[in-house]
Amino acid sequence: MIEYGDKVVLLDPRGKRYLVTIKEGEFHTDLGVINLSDLIGKEFGVIINSHTNYPFRILKPRIVDYIDKMKRGPQIIHPKDAAQIVAFAGISPGDIIIEAGVGSGALTLFLANIIGPNGKIIGYEIREDFAKLAWRNVEWAGFSDRVEIKLRNIYEGIEEDNVDHIILDLPQPENVVEHAVQSLKPGGFLVAYTPCINQVDRFYKKLNEYKKHFTKPKTIECLVREQEIKKECIRPRTTMLAHTGYITFVRKR
């Protein structure tokens, strides 16, 4: 049952989504006005009509809704890449994760949703404006119970030890390898997201210096192409979400 302060998705007849917080007042769209207090006591899945009689379905927000509607600054790690990080590193509820290069916090939200209230994400970010934006998104999405963001340069060291994973979105991930040896649990993953292949090359060279501490690294990229389904023609779309970054995984022995 919906209460004051809850967040809901309003889905209009065209499929457009609005993520709103339930409070006193009106929510205005081009299809009419909805009195938000009218949603109090309703169940998710029911329909409420705008003042112009357009039907809006009330849905429970999912993590994809939060990532789509969050405030953005720097380029985010897309869900297609975040999903690969979760899958190949085996990120699970209760994990403790160091994330460096937090940016707008999209990956932070994605991971926070998976690790649950018993997990912890400690974010390292050197830019105060990015850290503030990311924390705003963390609080808005309701994950402040499991996320901490530090204004700190991870190249200078990692304060935590015995962590499950370290995930980097940084220009020079090779500068973190030595610190990761000290902080990671045996079996934990060091993951580097890098847009350019020369960054991958530098990372591999540094890992080779510490190969007694890590298993053989693996690098992937993820390309997503949606299919176009029409009565007269079924084919791949001519546009696709192609290269965004290389993802390198290496596991501590």
Side-chain angles (χ1 to χ4, degrees):
M1 194 170 291
I2 297 168
E3 301 176 354
Y4 280 109
D6 287 347
K7 289 183 174 60
V8 305
V9 170
L10 296 175
L11 183 69
D12 76 14
R14 303 163 299 190
K16 187 174 182 179
R17 291 171 295 149
Y18 305 88
L19 182 53
V20 300
T21 302
I22 301 303
K23 57 186 179 180
E24 294 286 351
E26 297 177 333
F27 181 70
H28 292 251
T29 78
D30 61 330
L31 298 184
V33 178
I34 295 173
N35 188 336
L36 292 177
S37 60
D38 289 345
L39 277 68
I40 300 297
K42 294 189 181 299
E43 301 286 347
F44 288 110
V46 304
I47 288 176
I48 188 168
N49 290 331
S50 68
H51 83 288
T52 52
N53 212 35
Y54 281 98
F56 286 72
R57 181 78 66 178
I58 307 170
L59 302 178
K60 184 176 181 179
R62 302 294 181 180
I63 192 61
V64 292
D65 300 307
Y66 287 107
I67 292 174
D68 283 348
K69 304 299 183 182
M70 62 178 268
K71 298 291 184 182
R72 299 194 183 193
Q75 180 65 41
I76 69 167
I77 292 181
H78 289 270
K80 73 176 181 70
D81 294 320
Q84 304 306 309
I85 292 171
V86 169
F88 281 91
I91 294 172
S92 306
D95 281 352
I96 299 172
I97 299 172
I98 301 294
E99 181 194 357
V102 174
S104 301
L107 180 61
T108 311
L109 300 190
F110 195 93
L111 296 173
N113 184 61
I114 291 169
I115 63 169
N118 294 322
K120 183 76 174 180
I121 297 171
I122 302 99
Y124 281 61
E125 177 56 61
I126 61 171
R127 287 189 51 167
E128 187 174 4
D129 55 341
F130 290 175
K132 287 181 177 178
L133 174 60
W135 184 249
R136 177 183 175 186
N137 285 326
V138 166
E139 287 191 309
W140 169 75
F143 293 134
S144 59
D145 64 331
R146 67 198 73 171
V147 176
E148 176 186 355
I149 297 178
K150 297 181 175 183
L151 200 61
R152 181 176 170 84
N153 188 346
I154 199 171
Y155 294 159
E156 298 173 355
I158 300 173
E159 296 180 324
E160 298 75 20
D161 55 18
N162 207 36
V163 302
D164 292 289
H165 308 287
I166 299 172
I167 302 173
L168 309 174
D169 181 10
L170 302 169
Q172 297 172 303
E174 66 273 14
N175 292 346
V176 184
V177 172
E178 181 179 0
H179 307 315
V181 171
Q182 303 302 318
S183 294
L184 270 176
K185 291 179 180 178
F189 279 86
L190 173 61
V191 183
Y193 175 86
T194 48
C196 303
I197 198 65
N198 54 310
Q199 294 170 298
V200 177
D201 182 55
R202 294 198 310 267
F203 190 46
Y204 267 64
K205 287 176 180 175
K206 178 59 73 171
L207 287 170
N208 191 53
E209 298 176 19
Y210 292 84
K211 58 185 177 183
K212 71 177 183 179
H213 297 287
F214 293 103
T215 61
K216 184 178 179 181
K218 174 172 66 176
T219 300
I220 66 169
E221 66 172 332
C222 180
L223 314 178
V224 175
R225 183 167 64 180
E226 190 176 347
Q227 302 300 300
E228 192 171 87
I229 310 297
K230 297 180 179 178
K231 184 177 181 180
E232 65 278 7
C233 179
I234 300 176
R235 66 175 187 178
R237 287 191 182 275
T238 54
T239 58
M240 65 182 292
L241 186 55
H243 176 80
T244 48
Y246 300 101
I247 313 170
T248 300
F249 302 85
V250 64
R251 194 171 194 182
K252 187 179 176 184
R253 297 181 187 275

